[in-house]
Amino acid sequence: MSQRTERVADQIRIELSELFQRQVRDPRVRLASVTRVEVSRDLGLARIWISVLGDESQRLAAMDGIEHARGFLRSQLARRLNLRVTPELRFELDRGAEHLREISDLLDKLGGGQQES
């Protein structure tokens, strides 16, 4: 990414985090946080990874709430970012923490099966 796209991605992450906490009234979205944003070179598309606390049903409910608020979020970003064109927003569930926990559990199981000499 260029410096410009990195700056825009970082600003989108900051603004969306604030919008989730203060502006979006859907309670399902309160447990969500923005973990990463990638913006295309032409600034036409922003891929946003979302981490959600809770079980799978809470994760899916939060993503539904975010999808429902997509238009509102994009319009708020347009006001706050002052870009010629506001990127299209694509939200994806970030399962990185979940995968780390699974790997840690597997390593614990493997380590537990070994006997110390």
Side-chain angles (χ1 to χ4, degrees):
M1 271 198 278
S2 71
Q3 285 184 343
R4 181 171 187 237
T5 57
E6 285 181 22
R7 281 195 317 264
V8 170
D10 193 43
Q11 195 62 36
I12 288 173
R13 184 184 55 77
I14 291 166
E15 296 295 341
L16 283 176
S17 295
E18 184 176 321
L19 286 167
F20 285 174
Q21 295 302 312
R22 294 195 169 96
Q23 298 290 320
V24 178
R25 292 189 175 101
D26 190 333
R28 300 174 294 178
V29 178
R30 299 266 184 235
L31 298 175
S33 61
V34 179
T35 56
R36 189 173 83 187
V37 176
E38 286 183 5
V39 179
S40 64
R41 188 177 310 168
D42 66 355
L43 303 178
L45 175 67
R47 292 179 61 200
I48 300 137
W49 282 267
I50 305 293
S51 177
V52 181
L53 296 174
D55 61 18
E56 188 65 18
S57 65
Q58 290 172 315
R59 288 184 192 111
L60 296 176
M63 292 305 289
D64 285 343
I66 291 169
E67 287 295 330
H68 184 74
R70 178 195 309 255
F72 169 76
L73 294 169
R74 189 171 184 212
S75 69
Q76 290 297 309
L77 285 176
R79 290 182 197 173
R80 294 170 179 228
L81 296 180
N82 196 23
L83 297 171
R84 275 187 244 149
V85 176
T86 304
E88 176 187 337
L89 306 178
R90 291 213 183 128
F91 296 99
E92 299 181 28
L93 188 57
D94 186 351
R95 297 189 179 271
E98 184 179 331
H99 289 294
L100 286 174
R101 189 183 68 239
E102 289 174 5
I103 290 170
S104 177
D105 290 346
L106 286 173
L107 290 173
D108 287 345
K109 286 180 185 177
L110 289 173
Q114 296 177 354
Q115 294 180 357
E116 292 184 23
S117 305

